[in-house]
Amino acid sequence: MILVKTAEEIELMRESALVVSKTLGMLAAEIKPGVTGLQLDALAETFIRDHGAEPGFLGMYDFPNTLNISPNAQVVHGIPNDTPFEEGDIVSVDCGALKNGFYGDHAYTFPVGEIAPETQKLLEVTKASLYEGIREFRLGNRVGDVAYAIQHYCEAHGYGVVRELVGHGLGRDLHESPEMPNYGKRGRGKKFVDGMVVAIEPMINMGTKRIRQLRDGWTILTADGKPSAHFEHDVALVNGKPELLSTFAYIYQALGIDSDEEAEFRQTPITL
Ligand code: MG
Ligand code: MG
């Protein structure tokens, strides 16, 4: 059953999403060669609690940490460890926070120092595909329209679109109905209505779409060992249109990046 949110609930969810956005912005300034996932994890847990929220992933399905940290060939659900990041790595950081009873959940793939041009392109295409998907999250469209847009965009670049892991509805539960796959057919699936809130999160591989899982029961990797990227936003359907609740603006502020990519998806302006 899809749980539709009231305007008041959507504003609470914006608060939850922004705790995550600010956390990712804080981490953006810390991610460099020599830093470890466990160091980021400790920073994130303190930061989230200092902002009146609780880590959303810690203890969820027995996950041991605050962040999912998935470098290079890891797709998602990596467990933070003490291996230092190296120049040229990419690191996918997925973060959840629970505030006022609602979850925020979003993710960004960070370059560590200078990365290879083909890896940079993977990041750019994956992030662009997220917006291709968000653009289809509007009144009267269906889950398949978002799914098709992401799949079509990424496959046109020759990338593998992960099938086994999907986006999701978001609210008082981290994972609500409907599932939001990154592949599918136009016009299929659940119809979008005002008040829906979803996490859209393309997981895109440079090579094969096939994945495998480590024996830790969590870490998902590409089957061919090539890199994978993951970008995730929380989006509400308001006045028939997508309204971004999360933002990468704190990341861009930390990294000195000038971007207006979110402007078309924001009815309420964001103040940093
Ligand atoms: Mg996430
Ligand atoms: Mg998610």
Side-chain angles (χ1 to χ4, degrees), residues 7-257:
E8 292 73 21
E9 287 172 330
I10 287 172
E11 287 318 303
L12 291 175
M13 292 197 67
R14 190 191 304 276
E15 273 190 51
S16 306
L18 288 179
V19 170
V20 181
S21 302
K22 290 172 186 174
T23 306
L24 293 177
M26 178 275 295
L27 295 173
E30 303 291 337
I31 295 174
K32 46 185 78 120
V35 171
T36 72
L38 277 174
Q39 288 171 338
L40 298 185
D41 193 70
L43 288 172
E45 179 172 357
T46 302
F47 188 92
I48 290 168
R49 294 192 193 283
D50 286 350
H51 284 74
E54 291 167 46
F57 299 166
L58 184 63
M60 173 79 68
Y61 316 117
D62 291 328
F63 188 77
N65 291 88
T66 292
L67 300 175
N68 291 170
I69 299 210
S70 311
N72 301 323
Q74 294 188 10
V75 180
V76 287
H77 300 168
I79 300 174
N81 60 34
D82 57 8
T83 304
F85 304 139
E86 294 179 16
E87 179 89 13
D89 284 350
I90 56 170
V91 182
S92 297
V93 180
D94 195 350
C95 180
L98 177 64
K99 187 173 185 181
N100 301 316
F102 288 96
Y103 282 94
D105 170 21
H106 76 116
Y108 194 90
T109 300
F110 296 91
V112 181
E114 286 287 313
I115 63 173
E118 61 174 3
T119 312
Q120 180 65 37
K121 187 182 163 209
L122 173 70
L123 302 193
E124 285 168 10
V125 168
T126 304
K127 182 152 64 70
S129 81
L130 168 59
Y131 295 114
E132 293 289 319
I134 291 172
R135 202 168 284 125
E136 297 298 320
F137 182 57
R138 51 191 157 82
L139 195 65
N141 268 8
R142 294 175 182 270
V143 166
D145 295 303
V146 171
Y148 173 85
I150 295 170
Q151 180 187 7
H152 181 75
Y153 189 83
C154 294
E155 288 184 348
H157 285 89
Y159 293 147
V161 178
V162 172
R163 300 295 201 267
E164 293 86 345
L165 299 144
V166 298
H168 49 91
L170 184 71
R172 291 189 183 278
D173 286 316
L174 181 59
H175 297 123
E176 296 186 353
S177 184
E179 287 196 343
M180 296 289 293
N182 299 306
Y183 66 96
K185 294 195 167 67
R186 279 177 176 152
R188 300 281 181 86
K190 293 265 195 299
K191 205 169 192 173
F192 300 136
V193 294
D194 270 337
M196 282 178 73
V197 180
V198 296
I200 300 178
E201 49 179 316
M203 289 156 260
I204 307 300
N205 300 345
M206 187 183 283
T208 180
K209 64 178 182 286
R210 289 185 302 111
I211 56 170
R212 64 189 183 91
Q213 187 170 35
L214 286 186
R215 287 210 190 104
D216 64 15
W218 282 102
T219 311
I220 304 291
L221 300 100
T222 59
D224 60 7
K226 290 186 178 172
S228 182
H230 179 215
F231 291 85
E232 178 177 23
H233 266 314
D234 300 338
V235 199
L237 194 59
V238 177
N239 302 321
K241 294 185 294 191
E243 165 78 350
L244 269 187
L245 302 182
S246 54
T247 179
F248 295 146
Y250 295 98
I251 295 172
Y252 296 155
Q253 187 181 45
L255 300 180
I257 295 169

